[in-house]
Amino acid sequence: MNQKLVKNLLAASVASLMFGAAGQAVAGSHSTPAANVTDSSGAVVIDGSGECVRTSSWAPEYVRHSQCAGYIEETAEAPEPDPEPAPAPSPEPEFETTTLSAEVLFEFDSAELRSEGRAELRDLVADLTADGASYTSVLVEGHTCTIGPADYNQGLSERRAQTVADFLASEGIRESDIESMGHGEDRPTADNSTREGREANRRVEVTSDVERRVD
C-alpha cells in the first residue's frame, strides 16, 4: 500500500473520531446539569459540615438527592373531585279520589244538584282548601249505569261532571285547576244487572293531588 493511501486512511479515522466526540459532547450538553457532586457509585459527596457538595451548576430544580438542601419533593397531582351526585327525582304525585253517589248529588235523571249534594261538595272544598293543604289538579268524572241509551248516558255523565266542577269553582276551588269529563256507562265498578250495582255505578268521582302539611 503506498504512503499517500495510508495517510488518507489515517486522516479519515481521526476525523471520524473527532466528529464522534463532538456529537457526544453536544448530546451531553442537553442533559440536566448535576446540582451536587457524586462519587463513582452515584452517591452524593458530603462535606465536613454535613452538607452536600454543590457543583457550579447548582440550582434547586437540579437537586436530585432528598438529603441535599434545595431538594423539591415531587407531589402527585390531586385527583379530580368526584362529580356531584345527581339530584333526587321529584316524587310522583299521589292522587286521592272521593266517590260521590249520584243518588245524593242529583235529582233523578237530572244534572241539577240536590241540597244534600251541595253539602257534600262543600265538605270536599273545605278539605281541599284547609290550612296546610295544597293542590294543583282536580279532575271531576261522571259515570252512569246501563239503564237507557248509551249516548244519552254519555251526555248525562258529562253534564253532571260539569255541574260538580262549576259548583266546586263557585265554592273556592281554582277554576284553572279543574277538569271535567263524562264516561257514561263505560267504566262500571259494580254489576249493572242488580239494583245495588246500578246505584253504585251512578256516581261522580273527584280526584286531586292534594297534599297536606303535617306539623
Side-chain angles (χ1 to χ4, degrees):
M1 185 180 295
N2 59 45
Q3 291 183 351
K4 185 176 181 180
L5 180 57
V6 171
K7 288 180 179 180
N8 288 340
L9 290 174
L10 289 174
S13 299
V14 171
S16 176
L17 290 172
M18 291 177 65
F19 280 121
Q24 291 179 359
V26 171
S29 65
H30 292 294
S31 61
T32 302
N36 300 100
V37 177
T38 56
D39 59 20
S40 59
S41 66
V44 68
V45 177
I46 306 298
D47 63 16
S49 62
E51 296 292 332
C52 300
V53 177
R54 298 182 179 184
T55 68
S56 59
S57 302
W58 188 93
E61 61 267 26
Y62 300 149
V63 178
R64 294 292 178 263
H65 301 275
S66 60
Q67 70 270 38
C68 297
Y71 176 74
I72 302 173
E73 184 175 359
E74 295 183 1
T75 56
E77 292 185 6
E80 291 291 330
D82 293 333
E84 292 291 329
S90 301
E92 292 292 328
E94 295 184 4
F95 294 95
E96 181 177 292
T97 299
T98 300
T99 301
L100 304 166
S101 170
E103 312 301 315
V104 175
L105 290 177
F106 304 105
E107 299 293 342
F108 176 74
D109 194 25
S110 168
E112 182 180 347
L113 286 171
R114 303 176 64 201
S115 58
E116 294 89 339
R118 288 192 290 271
E120 285 213 13
L121 291 175
R122 287 192 183 99
D123 289 342
L124 177 59
V125 170
D127 182 57
L128 293 176
T129 59
D131 289 342
S134 63
Y135 63 89
T136 62
S137 172
V138 178
L139 175 62
V140 182
E141 298 172 284
H143 303 268
T144 69
C145 66
T146 55
I147 294 178
D151 289 346
Y152 179 84
N153 287 335
Q154 177 64 37
L156 179 62
S157 68
E158 292 173 2
R159 292 193 299 275
R160 284 179 168 180
Q162 187 61 55
T163 296
V164 171
D166 292 342
F167 186 82
L168 294 178
S170 71
E171 292 294 313
I173 300 300
R174 291 186 298 273
E175 187 174 359
S176 60
D177 292 333
I178 302 175
E179 181 181 1
S180 70
M181 62 181 62
H183 300 291
E185 56 191 56
D186 292 339
R187 298 186 180 182
T189 58
D191 185 359
N192 273 305
S193 67
T194 67
R195 182 174 61 82
E196 294 79 6
R198 290 190 294 273
E199 287 182 358
N201 288 331
R202 295 192 292 267
R203 69 197 189 279
V204 172
E205 295 174 336
V206 180
T207 302
S208 70
D209 61 350
V210 63
E211 294 182 356
R212 299 175 180 83
R213 186 180 66 245
V214 178
D215 296 327

